[in-house]
Amino acid sequence: MSLASWFRWNEPPSRISQRNPTEMVVETLMMELGWQIKQAEKQQHERENEYRKIKTGVDYGWLVSYPKPKHSYDISPGERLQLEDMCTKIHPSYCGPVLLRFRQLIAEYEPEVQEVARLFRSVLQEATEKIKEEEEAKKLARQWNTKHKTSLSLMTFKSQARISPFSSNIKTISEDVERGTEPARRVWSMPEFRSAKDY
């Protein structure tokens, strides 16, 4: 059997491109969870062996071979579905930081097997909250930018609506002269005062 068959190098590239990024994120995160659970089981088994050595005071490990524990702990189907649903909310660009944070917490706390899934859930919740905060900040920035643009457009509109003395529709004496008509009784630059007799 060749090693190339173990790896998926011989698969056509079209299969890889058909995958949805969300599915890839879910698969990657859930694979990491499974691997961390196996590692936690292995560490727990090693701790139990160390405890046995300390308790009995004699190391019979070279004589007695303990059967390797099979993958005894498994997440319940309901919890797995909940975690997969939470993984779908993680944007592909956050997949790497989520993995790093999860590994940091595992290294820091060295949790028991049962605690790994809870720790993973807390990392997912933290990432989801961060994503929501960033989306809200972007939304507020967009709203502010649109409000700022509209206020600028109103300012330019107001500046264009200024009264210009040369382009107004106010009649002047020179217009009457040019037309050859006799000007009205009042002088255009002065207000018109009428007496009570005119009415």
Side-chain angles (χ1 to χ4, degrees), residues 94 125-141:
Y94 285 91
Q125 287 174 341
E126 181 181 312
T128 306
E129 289 171 4
K130 187 176 181 181
I131 290 171
K132 285 181 182 177
E133 288 174 3
E134 288 182 3
E135 286 177 357
E136 288 176 7
K138 286 179 184 177
K139 184 179 178 182
L140 288 174

Side-chain angles (χ1 to χ4, degrees), residues 1-46:
M1 179 182 240
S2 68
L3 286 177
S5 65
W6 289 9
F7 304 105
R8 297 186 178 182
W9 292 333
N10 55 355
E11 290 185 6
S14 62
R15 177 178 162 83
I16 295 171
S17 64
Q18 291 174 352
R19 298 178 68 189
N20 184 0
T22 305
E23 292 173 2
M24 292 174 66
V25 168
V26 171
E27 183 179 333
T28 303
L29 293 175
M30 293 307 287
M31 283 175 51
E32 179 71 21
L33 174 63
W35 187 79
Q36 291 293 350
I37 287 174
K38 287 179 185 178
Q39 290 298 330
E41 282 181 345
K42 182 179 174 183
Q43 289 177 353
Q44 187 173 355
H45 184 67
E46 289 172 0

Side-chain angles (χ1 to χ4, degrees), residues 58-126:
V58 182
D59 182 16
Y60 292 108
W62 59 273
L63 181 60
V64 179
S65 63
Y66 296 103
K68 287 194 172 188
K70 294 182 180 176
H71 189 60
S72 58
Y73 180 78
D74 200 14
I75 304 171
S76 68
E79 188 175 8
R80 177 174 281 286
L81 287 174
Q82 288 177 351
L83 290 173
E84 287 177 356
D85 183 51
M86 290 178 74
C87 288
T88 59
K89 297 175 184 171
I90 303 297
H91 192 269
S93 63
Y94 285 91
C95 186
V98 166
L99 289 175
L100 288 175
R101 179 71 178 143
F102 182 50
R103 290 174 184 170
Q104 286 174 348
L105 291 177
I106 292 286
E108 184 179 333
Y109 293 116
E110 296 180 2
E112 296 292 322
V113 179
Q114 301 82 4
E115 297 171 348
V116 173
R118 280 183 261 149
L119 196 61
F120 184 65
R121 181 186 300 272
S122 69
V123 170
L124 291 176
Q125 287 174 341
E126 181 181 312

